[in-house]
Amino acid sequence: MRGVPKVELHLHLEGAAPPGFVRSLAAEKRVDLSGIFDESGSYAYDGFVDFLRVYEAATSVIETPEDYGRLVRTVLEELAYHGVVYAETFVSPDFCGGGDLAAWREYLASMQEAAAAAEATDGIVLRGVVTPIRHFGPERAKAPALCAAETAGDWIVGFGMGGNEAVGNPGDFAWAFDCAREAGLRLTCHAGEWGGPDSVRGAVDDLRVERIGHGVRAIEDLALVGDLAERGIVLEVCPGSNIALGLYPDWAAHPIERLRSRGVKVTVSTDDPPFFHTTMTREFERLADTFGWDTDDFAALNRLAAEAAFCDAETRKTILKKLEAADV
Ligand SMILES: [Zn+2]
């Protein structure tokens, strides 16, 4: 499966930091992070609350624009190794310059430079989706929205909220989403992971997003499932993440196949791959093992993800060509 080309739409940049990268950065900065790894060197945590502690500790050493550039390079090497030809990553002005526009531009320049270098060597294409953090509240979402609007273009192509879904309602963040939409950015929002069907409905109706991060709990309301299918809303489904965090006990219980069979546009991503001990290759393998997805299913999955990507038409054409070449 590793050689199969893949399109990934839901990936948190800091959450994609391999443990080895974090360990070497921590060593350079003389930060002791020994409590977050197991003997094999992987991230180790026990349950969701502990996952947050480990995630926060690991990502705390990624600080400067240079760190972010190195991170992009490392993550893209890993993705290219797993056959990813195009990826979108969530990037947060809150973590990159504290919401200050001038500082954000410096981080952005460093990340873009690293992405361009990876594209030149491995052919992999990366685009950025700016994400405000939901549990920081609606007021704090305005600065990242303005940063996103000011830097919208070829590389920053979307806007999508992450963070704790239990905080507030999607509609509380309408100002930030309107600001991003007016700047020409395409919209997505985490919903239907820790929140239920109402959370998904709120994101679609009140924020007018065209994609949903996760969205899997829509399955608890079949009228909503029908609605998502009819409106062509795309779900960025991350099965391995959902199972690692205990949303579903195992792959067989995951609703991706039920959503797909009801006509919902599903795509597959890894979310925070090293934290969930997964890769795009592993996700594809599990989908094949559990639901019997074959070459045609994966080709259709890739095409759908390429169509749902927030990049410009020219870039989309290039991705589709790469996918077609692999189908032959
Ligand atoms: Zn996510």
Side-chain angles (χ1 to χ4, degrees), residues 2-3 21 50 54 75 95 135 173 198 241 319:
R2 193 168 71 77
F21 174 84
D50 198 38
V54 169
V75 168
F95 300 138
H135 51 264
F173 297 85
D198 284 348
S241 159
I319 308 166

Side-chain angles (χ1 to χ4, degrees), residues 155-178:
W155 203 77
I156 291 296
V157 292
F159 187 75
M161 184 159 63
N164 189 346
E165 197 186 338
V167 174
N169 295 307
D172 300 340
F173 297 85
W175 190 96
F177 279 76
D178 287 346

